[in-house]
C-alpha cells in the first residue's frame, strides 16, 4: 500500500532554519551540511536522500544544528528523510564514530559500508516483510478536535490504532484510500512503523545436555555478568564443550529479554550454527547476516534486528554492525581467526570492535577459542586489577568422558619415503582406517593440483604477469591460476624459456592429493573440501553433512575443514606440508600454524574412538612442534609472548602499517620513503621502520611498498596517525594509492 517508501514532511517546510550534517559514502573525513527544514535532533540517526554533485545519494544524519561553515548560497537541501526505516541509535552511532577514529577511516565510509546494500541505494523499493504501525506519542496526545478535521479514512485508521499496534493488512482492511491515509498520518508524525509484537520465550524445560563442573562454573560467571560490561576469554581444548557453554549463556540472556550477537569466522559455519540454535531455541527468531546473503534477506535480517523481532543474530564479521537495541550478550567464536579482520576498505577487526561494542551496550563479551590470539591471551593473564583484563574461563578436558585427546606423532620426511608428498607411515594408517570403517582427514593448506609447473630442463616456472607469484596448476579444468589476483590462463604446451615440452607439476595441492589417494585406495569414497570444490552456495554444507552421515571415508581439504565440524567416526588426521608456515617472515606465522594444527587435530577422536594425528615435517626438532605434540597452549603462548616481548611486537606494542601501491615500483617506494621522512619529523613515542617493498611486492598489476609504525602506547600511536594522515593526504601523488592499516595482521 505504501508504494512510496520515501517520505517528506511538508507541514514542517516553513519552520525554523536547521542544518543537518550527514555522513556520506565519500573518501573525505568530514560530515556534509544540508539545509533541512523541519529536521530536528530527533532525526539524528535517520537515513536521508540528498543531492551530491550531479547525483543523489543516501546518507545518515549524524548532527542537527543551525549554523554551518558553508555559506548559505552554497548549501543544498535534503530531498527526503526516510521515515520508513528506524533511526540508528546513539550507541550504533557511537560504535561507528569509534571505528572511524580508531582506524583513521572517513566517518561517512564507515557508516555507509555498515548498512545493508539495499538501504544504501538511492532508488529503493518498499521494505520487505509485513509492516506494523502504532500511534506516536504525538498521536496519542492529539486533541480530538484536530483529528475531527481529517478525512474519514484517516480517522478510521487512527481509531483502529488506538487499540494498539496493528499489521498493515488488518489496519487497511475494508478501508478505501487507506494507503493514502496511512502516508498522510505518518507525515503528520501521528503514527509510525513499529516492530511486530515479539513472541515470548518458552524456556526449554530440560536441557538435553549435562554440564561438567568446569562448564557450569563458566556459565555461572557469564550469567552473573549479564547487564554489565565484562570481556571473557573462554579457552578450552577442542571438543571440550565451549559451544555448550555459550549456548547456556545465550539462554540466560534470552530469558532476560535481551538480544544476542554471535560472530563466527566462516560463512560455511553459519548454517550449521543456525540449525543448532534453531533446535535449542525453537521459540526464538534467529537471523543470520553474511556477505553471501541476497540483498532482500540481508535487509530483512537487519530490520528484524533493529525492530527487536530478531532475538539472535548469527553472522560473520559484518554482523558486528547489526543494530541491536536490546543487546545483552556478544559471543565471538574462534576469536583468533584472521578472517575477523577485514583486509580492504575499512580494515577493522570485528573481534576488537565487538569488545568495544560490549562496553557501549554494557554487556558481557565472550571470546571463544581453543588457541586464543596472543593478544586476548595476554589480556586474560594480566593481574586482576588491570582495566583491560579479560576474565579467563578454562575448560581443560574433553566434554565426553570417553573422548580423549588425540595422540600426536611427528613423521620425519627426511627419514621416510614419500609418494606424492604422503609418507609410508601415513599411507599405512589410512589403510588401517579403511579396513576398520573409520574416517580419515588429510589436511593440506594449498588448493589446486600443484603450486607450480616446472620445466624439467631449465627449471622455468610460469608466473602471474600481474603479481610477483607463481601460477598454480589446476588440473581439473587444465588452467593455471593466480591465487592473489585471479588471473588465469591455459596450461602452456612448452617451456616459456627454453621451449622444452617437458613440463611437470611441482609440489602438491589438494587436487593432486585427491587423485593420488583415489588411485591408491580404489574402493575408498574420497571427497575434497576447498574453496574450489565449495564455490556453489550450500555445497560445503552438503559435503559436511554427507561426511557426518559416514558417506565419505577420506576427506581431503584446506583450513575449511579444520574448523568447527564434528565427525564422530573420524579417527585419523594427516597433516601435509605444515612446514610452509615456518618460512614466513610474518611474526604471527607460528601462532597461526599452532592454531591450525590444534584445530585440525581436534577433528579426530571426538567420540569414543581414540584419535591419532600424524604431522609430516622436515624439522621434527623445532620448538614449535614440541608444544604442538603436547597440545600445551599455555606453554606455547608463554614462549611466544617472551619472543614478542623481546622484539617489541604486539601485545607489547601497537602497530600501524602504511600500505602504498603504484604502477611502478619506483613511485611506490619513493612515496613510502617520503611518508616515512614526514613521519619521522612528527615522532613522539612512535618508531618508524624503513620503507620497504611489501612481502608480495607486485599484486594485480600494482607495485607495493610499506612503512611500519610501532609504539608502546596506543594513545601515542593515535596522536601520531592523526598528525601523519593529513600530511600524506596533501603530499600523495595522484598515481599513488595508499591506506593506513591499524593493528595489521600481516606485516
Ligand atoms: Zn596475479
Ligand atoms: Zn625450460
Amino acid at each position: 500500500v505504501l508504494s512510496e517508501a520515501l517520505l517528506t514532511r511538508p507541514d514542517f517546510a516553513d519552520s525554523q532554519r536547521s542544518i543537518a550534517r550527514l555522513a556520506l559514502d565519500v573518501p573525505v573525513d568530514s560530515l556534509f551540511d544540508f539545509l533541512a527544514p523541519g529536521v530536528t535532533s530527533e532525526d539524528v540517526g535517520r537515513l536521508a536522500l540528498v543531492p551530491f554533485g550531479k547525483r543523489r545519494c543516501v546518507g545518515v544524519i549524524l548532527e542537527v544544528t543551525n549554523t554551518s561553515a558553508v555559506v548559505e548560497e552554497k548549501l543544498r537541501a535534503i530531498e527526503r528523510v526516510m521515515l520508513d526505516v528506524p533511526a540508528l541509535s546513539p550507541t550504533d552511532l557511537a560504535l561507528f564514530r569509534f571505528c572511524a577514529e580508531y582506524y583513521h577511516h572517513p566517518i561517512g565510509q564507515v557508516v555507509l559500508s555498515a548498512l545493508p546494500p539495499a538501504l544504501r541505494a538511492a532508488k529503493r523499493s518498499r521494505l520487505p516483510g509485513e509492516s506494523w504501525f502504532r500511534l506516536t506519542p504525538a498521536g496519542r496526545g492529539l486533541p480530538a478536535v484536530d483529528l475531527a478535521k481529517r478525512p474519514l479514512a484517516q480517522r478510521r485508521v487512527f481509531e483502529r490504532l488506538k487499540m494498539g499496534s496493528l499489521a498493515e493488512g488488518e489496519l487497511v482492511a475494508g478501508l478505501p484510500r487507506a494507503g493514502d491515509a496511512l502516508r498522510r498520518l505518518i507525515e503528520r508524525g501521528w503514527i509510525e512503523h513499529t516492530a511486530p509484537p515479539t513472541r515470548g520465550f518458552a524456556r526449554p524445560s530440560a536441557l538435553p545436555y549435562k554440564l561438567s563442573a568446569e562448564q557450569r562454573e563458566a556459565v555461572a560467571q557469564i550469567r552473573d555478568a549479564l547487564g554489565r560490561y565484562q570481556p571473557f576469554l573462554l579457552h578450552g581444548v577442542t571438543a571440550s564443550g565451549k559451544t555448550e557453554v555459550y549456548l547456556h549463556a545465550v539462554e540466560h540472556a534470552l530469558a532476560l529479554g535481551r538480544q544476542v550477537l554471535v560472530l563466527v569466522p566462516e560463512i560455511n559455519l553459519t548454517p550449521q550454527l543456525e540449525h543448532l540454535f534453531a533446535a535449542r531455541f525453537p521459540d526464538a527468531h534467529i537471523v543470520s547476516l553474511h556477505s553471501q546473503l541476497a540483498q532482500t534477506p540481508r535487509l530483512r535480517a537487519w530490520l528484524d534486528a533493529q525492530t527487536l523481532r530478531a532475538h539472535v543474530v548469527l553472522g560473520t564479521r559484518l554482523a558486528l554492525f547489526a543494530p541491536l537495541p536490546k543487546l545483552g550478550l556478544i559471543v565471538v567464536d574462534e576469536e583468533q581467526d584472521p578472517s575477523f579482520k577485514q583486509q580492504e576498505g575499512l580494515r577493522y577487526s570485528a573481534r576488537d570492535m565487538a569488545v568495544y561494542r560490549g562496553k557501549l551496550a554494557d554487556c558481557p563479551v565472550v571470546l571463544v577459542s581453543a588457541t586464543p590470539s596472543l593478544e586476548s591471551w595476554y589480556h586474560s593473564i594480566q593481574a586482576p586489577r588491570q582495566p583491560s583484563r579479560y576474565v579467563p574461563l578454562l575448560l581443560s578436558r574433553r566434554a565426553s568422558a570417553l573422548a580423549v585427546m588425540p595422540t600426536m606423532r611427528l613423521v620425519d620426511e627426511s627419514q621416510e619415503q614419500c609418494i606424492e608428498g604422503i609418507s609410508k607411515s601415513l599411507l599405512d594408517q589410512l589403510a588401517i582406517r579403511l579396513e576398520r570403517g573409520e574416517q580419515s582427514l588429510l589436511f593440506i593448506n594449498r588448493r589446486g593440483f600443484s603450486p607450480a609447473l616446472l620445466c624439467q630442463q631449465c627449471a622455468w616456472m610460469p608466473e602471474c604477469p600481474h603479481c610477483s607469484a607463481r601460477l598454480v596448476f589446476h588440473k581439473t579444468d587444465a588452467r593455471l591460476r593466480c591465487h592473489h589476483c585471479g588471473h588465469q590462463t591455459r596450461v602452456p604446451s612448452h617451456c616459456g624459456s627454453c621451449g622444452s615440452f617437458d613440463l611437470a607439476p611441482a609440489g602438491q595441492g589438494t587436487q593432486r592429493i585427491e587423485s593420488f589417494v583415489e588411485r591408491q585406495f580404489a574402493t575408498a569414497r574420497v571427497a575434497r573440501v576447498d574453496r574450489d570444490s565449495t564455490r556453489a552456495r550450500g555445497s560445503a554444507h552438503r559435503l559436511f553433512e554427507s561426511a557426518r552421515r559416514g558417506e565419505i571415508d577420506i576427506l581431503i581439504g584446506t583450513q575449511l575443514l579444520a574448523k568447527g565440524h564434528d565427525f564422530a567416526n573420524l579417527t585419523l588426521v594427516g597433516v601435509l606440508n605444515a612446514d610452509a608456515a615456518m618460512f614466513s617472515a610474518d611474526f604471527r606465522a607460528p601462532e597461526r600454524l599452532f592454531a591450525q594444527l590444534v584445530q585440525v587435530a581436534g577433528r579426530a577422536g571426538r567420540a569414543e574412538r581414540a584419535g591419532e594425528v600424524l604431522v609430516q615435517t622436515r624439522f621434527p626438532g623445532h620448538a614449535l612442534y614440541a608444544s604442538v605434540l603436547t597440545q600445551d597452549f599455555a606453554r606455547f603462548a608463554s614462549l611466544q609472548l617472551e619472543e614478542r616481548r623481546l622484539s617489541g611486537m604486539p601485545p607489547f606494542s601497537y602497530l600501524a602499517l602504511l600500505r602504498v601501491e603504484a604502477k611502478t615500483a619506483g613511485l611506490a617506494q619513493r612515496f613510502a620513503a617520503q611518508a616515512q621522512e614526514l613521519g619521522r619529523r612528527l615522532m613522539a613515542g612512535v618508531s618508524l621502520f624503513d620503507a620497504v617493498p611489501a612481502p608480495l611486492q607486485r599484486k594485480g598489476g600494482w607495485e607495493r611498498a610499506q612503512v611500519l609504525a610501532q609504539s608502546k602506547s596506543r594513545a601515542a600511536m593515535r596522536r601520531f596517525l592523526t598528525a601523519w594522515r593529513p600530511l600524506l593526504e596533501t603530499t600523495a601523488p595522484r598515481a599513488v594509492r595508499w591506506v593506513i592499516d591499524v593493528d595489521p595482521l600481516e606485516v
Side-chain angles (χ1 to χ4, degrees):
V1 177
L2 279 178
S3 54
E4 267 178 57
L6 312 176
L7 301 162
T8 52
R9 285 174 173 164
D11 289 8
F12 295 115
D14 298 326
S15 60
Q16 71 171 64
R17 164 195 165 93
S18 65
I19 309 274
R21 316 198 64 207
L22 270 79
L24 298 178
D25 189 3
V26 179
V28 178
D29 193 19
S30 60
L31 300 177
F32 293 85
D33 292 4
F34 289 88
L35 290 171
V39 169
T40 70
S41 56
E42 305 220 328
D43 293 307
V44 167
R46 281 200 189 278
L47 275 61
L49 189 68
V50 293
F52 193 75
K54 285 181 178 162
R55 61 200 171 98
R56 300 149 88 215
C57 61
V58 170
V60 176
I61 301 173
L62 291 195
E63 292 166 20
V64 176
T65 149
N66 45 32
T67 57
S68 172
V70 182
V71 288
E72 175 109 26
E73 303 80 68
K74 290 207 169 166
L75 281 176
R76 301 172 76 179
I78 274 189
E79 280 187 26
R80 280 162 175 177
V81 177
M82 301 186 189
L83 299 175
D84 59 340
V85 182
L88 294 163
S89 73
T91 41
D92 294 334
L93 300 180
L95 179 67
F96 295 143
R97 283 187 193 275
F98 181 78
C99 232
E101 219 174 277
Y102 187 82
Y103 292 106
H104 298 266
H105 199 77
I107 177 74
Q109 293 192 320
V110 171
V111 176
L112 273 297
S113 67
L115 296 179
L119 283 184
R120 296 200 291 261
K123 270 200 166 167
R124 157 153 73 76
S125 50
R126 57 169 303 176
L127 297 173
E130 192 178 35
S131 301
W132 282 68
F133 294 89
R134 67 174 175 197
L135 297 185
T136 61
R140 283 195 297 275
L142 190 70
V145 305
D146 286 12
L147 187 65
K149 289 186 249 162
R150 312 306 308 173
L152 182 67
Q154 289 184 35
R155 288 195 322 249
R156 285 276 161 77
V157 166
F158 198 91
E159 291 300 326
R160 288 181 183 187
L161 285 176
K162 273 188 172 169
M163 319 297 291
S165 60
L166 272 181
E168 190 177 327
E170 285 175 79
L171 193 51
V172 301
L175 282 185
R177 297 176 50 76
D180 186 51
L182 271 179
R183 200 172 66 236
R184 297 206 178 267
L185 289 168
I186 291 177
E187 288 167 3
R188 298 249 150 208
W190 294 340
I191 72 170
E192 63 187 359
H193 283 263
T194 183
T198 45
R199 291 167 291 172
F201 286 104
R203 263 179 78 108
S205 50
L207 283 166
Y209 193 93
K210 198 169 174 315
L211 295 180
S212 70
E214 279 180 337
Q215 287 175 314
R216 274 200 306 276
E217 171 60 22
V219 172
Q221 290 214 40
I222 302 169
R223 187 195 55 216
D224 291 348
L226 290 173
R228 67 183 160 89
Y229 167 64
Q230 176 62 61
F232 291 95
L233 177 62
L234 175 58
H235 172 224
V237 298
T238 50
S240 59
K242 298 184 288 294
T243 310
E244 203 54 47
V245 167
Y246 72 69
L247 281 173
H248 277 75
V250 167
E251 192 202 338
H252 288 298
L254 292 178
L256 292 175
R258 312 304 299 187
Q259 290 174 300
V260 177
L261 174 64
V262 181
L263 300 178
V264 293
E266 289 276 347
I267 288 175
N268 289 322
L269 290 176
T270 53
Q272 189 196 355
L273 205 57
E274 244 182 296
H275 290 157
L276 184 62
F277 269 79
R280 288 294 283 274
F281 308 110
D283 291 331
H285 180 44
I286 297 154
V287 298
S288 57
L289 266 173
H290 54 75
S291 59
Q292 272 182 14
L293 275 186
Q295 282 211 11
T296 304
R298 186 159 157 194
L299 175 59
R300 191 178 298 134
W302 171 278
L303 291 174
D304 281 358
Q306 193 175 20
T307 55
L308 296 174
R309 268 203 83 197
H311 304 110
V312 178
V313 172
L314 296 177
T316 53
R317 63 172 179 262
L318 62 83
L320 169 77
F321 296 109
L324 292 155
K326 294 184 88 174
L327 181 58
L329 174 68
I330 303 175
V331 176
V332 184
D333 204 353
E334 304 284 6
E335 64 89 27
Q336 84 293 345
D337 199 284
S339 73
F340 283 122
K341 179 90 163 45
Q342 173 141 305
Q343 298 295 352
E344 54 184 29
L346 170 64
R347 292 167 174 257
Y348 67 104
S349 155
R351 190 241 353 252
D352 296 350
M353 289 301 110
V355 173
Y356 186 75
R357 188 162 185 190
K359 198 173 196 172
L360 287 172
D362 286 320
C363 78
V365 182
V366 185
L367 308 181
V368 184
S369 181
T371 53
S373 64
L374 286 180
E375 283 85 349
S376 300
W377 177 256
Y378 184 63
H379 282 311
S380 82
I381 58 174
Q382 306 258 303
R385 279 161 193 273
Q386 288 272 332
S388 60
R389 185 176 193 252
Y390 296 0
V391 171
L393 304 170
L394 180 68
L395 305 180
S396 61
R397 277 184 297 273
R398 289 202 148 184
S400 158
L402 297 167
V404 289
M405 295 298 285
T407 53
M408 293 268 241
R409 191 145 67 85
L410 296 179
V411 178
D412 188 345
E413 287 184 343
S414 59
Q415 300 295 317
E416 271 209 43
Q417 190 202 350
C418 288
I419 316 168
E420 296 278 2
I422 305 185
S423 63
K424 175 88 171 45
S425 315
L426 186 49
L427 283 175
D428 291 346
Q429 291 301 323
L430 282 170
I432 293 173
R433 291 324 191 279
L434 276 173
E435 217 157 88
R436 287 198 217 141
E438 296 170 3
Q439 288 175 307
S440 306
L441 185 164
L442 293 181
F443 175 73
I444 177 164
N445 216 357
R446 210 155 56 181
R447 63 196 172 88
F449 187 81
S450 70
L453 212 54
L454 177 70
C455 171
Q456 305 297 300
Q457 301 301 318
C458 75
W460 173 82
M461 287 184 266
E463 291 190 357
C464 175
H466 314 296
C467 305
S468 37
R470 293 193 188 110
L471 290 171
V472 176
F473 175 39
H474 285 246
K475 196 176 184 183
T476 42
D477 53 359
R479 309 288 283 176
L480 294 178
R481 283 205 176 81
C482 174
H483 285 186
H484 298 285
C485 73
H487 170 83
Q488 51 169 301
T489 167
R490 280 189 300 113
V491 173
S493 57
H494 57 271
C495 171
S497 172
C498 74
S500 157
F501 288 92
D502 195 3
L503 297 176
Q508 284 83 27
T510 46
Q511 292 175 8
R512 190 170 188 176
I513 298 294
E514 179 191 27
S515 70
F516 170 66
V517 167
E518 278 173 344
R519 269 182 282 130
Q520 196 73 15
F521 304 104
T523 58
R525 296 162 298 175
V526 179
R528 171 166 59 90
V529 181
D530 57 23
R531 206 133 55 80
D532 302 309
S533 74
T534 58
R535 197 147 281 160
R537 200 178 288 187
S539 58
H541 187 59
R542 281 194 297 278
L543 269 170
F544 291 130
E545 282 306 311
S546 79
R548 202 162 296 139
R549 286 194 299 268
E551 293 162 9
I552 295 168
D553 300 313
I554 303 176
L555 280 157
I556 294 162
T558 58
Q559 58 187 353
L560 277 186
L561 260 181
K563 280 173 210 150
H565 299 282
D566 283 5
F567 309 113
N569 195 29
L570 193 135
T571 60
L572 173 69
V573 171
V575 180
L576 310 175
N577 194 44
D579 294 339
M582 300 219 280
F583 305 121
S584 168
D586 190 345
F587 73 95
R588 282 195 176 88
E591 181 183 342
R592 277 200 210 111
L593 177 59
F594 186 91
Q596 260 178 11
L597 290 178
V598 169
Q599 267 178 357
V600 72
R603 301 305 112 210
R606 293 177 80 91
E608 55 273 24
R609 280 177 249 218
E612 187 178 19
V613 181
L614 266 61
V615 181
Q616 294 190 181
T617 173
R618 265 166 291 148
F619 310 100
H622 197 284
L624 178 71
Y625 288 124
S627 50
V628 169
L629 283 185
T630 52
Q631 301 203 48
D632 184 349
F633 180 79
R635 169 147 182 79
F636 167 77
S638 77
L639 291 173
Q640 281 291 309
L641 280 177
E642 195 44 38
E643 267 182 39
R644 299 268 185 99
R645 191 195 303 274
L646 291 173
S647 56
M649 283 294 171
F652 301 98
S653 70
Y654 300 94
L655 300 181
L657 189 67
L658 170 68
R659 301 178 187 273
V660 178
E661 294 185 340
K663 284 296 177 186
T664 68
L667 188 53
Q669 185 65 28
R670 260 198 313 283
F671 179 62
Q674 181 192 333
Q676 182 204 2
E677 191 46 44
L678 287 168
R680 217 159 240 166
R681 292 183 213 150
L682 300 170
M683 267 191 297
V686 173
S687 6
L688 281 181
F689 288 71
D690 283 340
V692 290
L696 184 71
Q697 193 184 339
R698 197 167 134 80
K699 184 179 175 186
W702 293 85
E703 298 286 344
R704 302 158 6 124
Q706 62 187 38
V707 179
L708 182 66
Q710 184 187 44
S711 175
K712 290 241 182 293
S713 145
R714 181 166 267 175
M717 177 63 88
R718 181 180 286 198
R719 278 194 302 275
F720 170 76
L721 294 178
T722 307
W724 198 30
R725 207 191 139 81
L727 294 180
L728 302 180
E729 262 162 11
T730 50
T731 56
R734 287 195 120 169
V736 161
R737 307 200 294 202
W738 60 274
V739 65
I740 292 174
D741 187 353
V742 178
D743 302 334
L745 272 194
E746 287 165 36
V747 300

